[in-house]
Amino acid sequence: MSSSAELKKAGLKTTLPRLKILSMLENASIRHMTAEDVYKSLLDSGEEIGLATVYRVLTQFENAGLVIRHNFEGGRSVFELNDEGHHDHLVCMECGDVFEFYDKAIEERQQKVADESGFVLDNHSLYMYGVCEGIRKNGKCSINKRKLPSILTTSKRR
Amino acid sequence: MSSSAELKKAGLKTTLPRLKILSMLENASIRHMTAEDVYKSLLDSGEEIGLATVYRVLTQFENAGLVIRHNFEGGRSVFELNDEGHHDHLVCMECGDVFEFYDKAIEERQQKVADESGFVLDNHSLYMYGVCEGIRKNGKCSINKRKLPSILTTSKRR
DNA sequence: GGTATTATTGCTAATAATTTGTACTAACGT
DNA sequence: ACGTTAGTACAAATTATTAGCAATAATACC
Ligand SMILES: [Mn+2]
Ligand SMILES: [Mn+2]
Ligand SMILES: [Zn+2]
Ligand SMILES: [Zn+2]
């Protein structure tokens, strides 16, 4: 589906800033980006945008269900496209790498715990923090996930 | 153990502000408090303290392992005394009530997931958000957990 | 106990991240 | 195309937290 159609489906008008941001999220080499990551990446790609707009649009995307906001330990909010199913996260405290996982047993036990406590569950966040294999074995992470794309392949226009 | 001894054991000098804060955490009717909750509660109890000191001391307590810091969805940091063993949290989005739980199966699966990913785990946070039974059945929570103690039973001095 | 040494406090001012106000534009239904 | 309404850019405001620094309080030593 086109980005424009995705915005429409989410009940959002198709505007250039929104297209740029959605496009950046879809094409960036890193999946979990802060508002400023998105902003800087767009500037680096030669796109013009305001930081406040990035914040505003990311929040709209969150409310529309287009992106998920995460609050990893100690840091600012990071956003990821809501294109895969639900999953939880393993964060390396050394290199910042984020590994995603889904564990059916954990999900089921969570539901059970909620049921037993009389809670109707809305959502949950499970973040695990540790040190990844790359750092432990090679002293540094194999892939530098902090690198942002210098060119935005889509979002080119006119 | 006395509060003073607890501070010593944690490698912190016994000072009046630290005693007041530790005492407040030990005696408050709510377990999970923001820095400002602690600050306001102390003022309400007639105790004098600076807000910056509360932030500073809570961070020191965190580093010393005396308290745990949580970042519940959307809100500011909340602190709880590290006197029980590890547990995770169920937060009611309506009344703010916090239920604690420990599920051995979840903990074990988490370890397994980390092992399989080559991660050495340091810590994790699992927060579940929903609506509690009290709200659903009575329209409001039975216990108002937001109420702060007006008098500090300990920490009186001289 | 009295005094030196040094950590800690309580201001207040500074930050960092995010949000808001507003005058200016762009989108889109007709 | 036109008008209405929503969205944008930029600056200024907020909110939560931290930093700078002079005044104080807590051990250490005599
Ligand atoms: Mn999950
Ligand atoms: Mn746990
Ligand atoms: Zn993810
Ligand atoms: Zn707890």
Side-chain angles (χ1 to χ4, degrees):
Chain A
M1 181 166 43
S2 78
S3 294
S4 180
E6 291 215 63
L7 289 174
K8 284 237 178 54
K9 184 160 63 92
L12 295 168
K13 257 189 207 171
T14 303
T15 68
L16 193 44
R18 284 175 183 160
L19 286 172
K20 285 177 183 173
I21 291 169
L22 187 51
S23 197
M24 167 57 68
L25 289 171
E26 287 167 347
N27 296 99
S29 61
I30 60 172
R31 225 187 117 68
H32 306 84
M33 302 175 84
T34 65
E36 198 155 8
D37 284 340
V38 172
Y39 173 65
K40 292 254 180 69
S41 301
L42 284 170
L43 293 192
D44 286 353
S45 309
E47 304 285 346
E48 299 215 344
I49 196 149
L51 177 56
T53 301
V54 174
Y55 274 106
R56 213 179 316 114
V57 168
L58 285 174
T59 301
Q60 290 162 350
F61 283 6
E62 182 191 12
N63 293 331
L66 286 176
V67 305
I68 313 264
R69 178 197 299 258
H70 296 291
N71 284 102
F72 293 151
E73 194 168 79
R76 58 186 90 174
S77 292
V78 296
F79 299 84
E80 75 172 310
L81 219 50
N82 185 15
D83 54 353
E84 317 171 337
H86 165 77
H87 56 266
D88 294 295
H89 300 82
L90 251 165
V91 182
C92 177
M93 299 181 303
E94 296 291 329
C95 66
D97 236 356
V98 178
F99 286 69
E100 306 182 327
F101 70 91
Y102 176 84
D103 188 275
K104 193 149 175 290
I106 291 179
E107 301 292 328
E108 286 170 356
R109 293 293 303 185
Q110 285 176 2
Q111 189 56 59
K112 189 162 183 296
V113 167
D115 290 346
E116 286 170 357
S117 312
F119 263 76
V120 171
L121 223 49
D122 185 72
N123 70 88
H124 69 264
S125 71
L126 169 56
Y127 304 127
M128 305 203 291
Y129 305 93
V131 181
C132 76
E133 199 161 25
I135 292 284
R136 287 208 326 288
K137 299 210 166 142
N138 316 328
K140 62 170 186 284
C141 190
S142 36
I143 311 138
N144 182 3
K145 292 290 178 69
R146 282 283 80 183
K147 186 140 163 294
L148 294 173
S150 57
I151 319 158
L152 197 50
T153 50
T154 55
S155 109
K156 59 185 62 157
R157 240 183 61 106
R158 189 61 29 91
Chain B
M1 180 165 47
S2 78
S3 293
S4 179
E6 290 213 64
L7 290 174
K8 284 237 179 56
K9 182 160 65 92
L12 295 168
K13 258 188 207 173
T14 303
T15 69
L16 193 44
R18 285 176 182 158
L19 286 172
K20 285 177 181 172
I21 292 169
L22 187 52
S23 196
M24 168 58 68
L25 290 170
E26 287 168 344
N27 296 99
S29 62
I30 59 173
R31 225 188 117 70
H32 305 85
M33 303 175 85
T34 65
E36 198 155 8
D37 284 341
V38 172
Y39 173 65
K40 292 255 181 66
S41 300
L42 284 171
L43 292 191
D44 287 351
S45 311
E47 303 285 345
E48 300 215 343
I49 198 151
L51 178 55
T53 302
V54 174
Y55 274 104
R56 233 180 342 225
V57 168
L58 284 174
T59 301
Q60 289 162 351
F61 282 7
E62 183 191 13
N63 293 331
L66 284 177
V67 305
I68 313 266
R69 178 196 302 258
H70 297 291
N71 285 101
F72 294 150
E73 193 168 78
R76 58 188 90 175
S77 291
V78 295
F79 300 84
E80 76 173 310
L81 219 50
N82 186 15
D83 53 354
E84 316 171 338
H86 165 78
H87 56 266
D88 294 295
H89 300 83
L90 251 165
V91 182
C92 178
M93 298 181 303
E94 295 291 329
C95 66
D97 238 355
V98 178
F99 287 68
E100 307 182 328
F101 70 91
Y102 176 84
D103 188 275
K104 194 150 174 290
I106 291 179
E107 302 291 329
E108 287 170 356
R109 294 295 301 187
Q110 285 175 2
Q111 189 57 59
K112 188 162 182 297
V113 168
D115 289 346
E116 285 169 358
S117 311
F119 263 75
V120 170
L121 223 49
D122 184 72
N123 68 89
H124 69 264
S125 72
L126 167 57
Y127 304 127
M128 306 203 293
Y129 304 92
V131 182
C132 75
E133 198 161 25
I135 292 285
R136 288 209 324 290
K137 300 211 164 142
N138 316 327
K140 61 169 188 286
C141 190
S142 37
I143 311 140
N144 182 3
K145 293 291 177 70
R146 282 284 78 183
K147 187 144 163 291
L148 295 173
S150 57
I151 321 159
L152 195 53
T153 50
T154 55
S155 111
K156 58 182 65 155
R157 238 183 61 106
R158 187 65 33 92

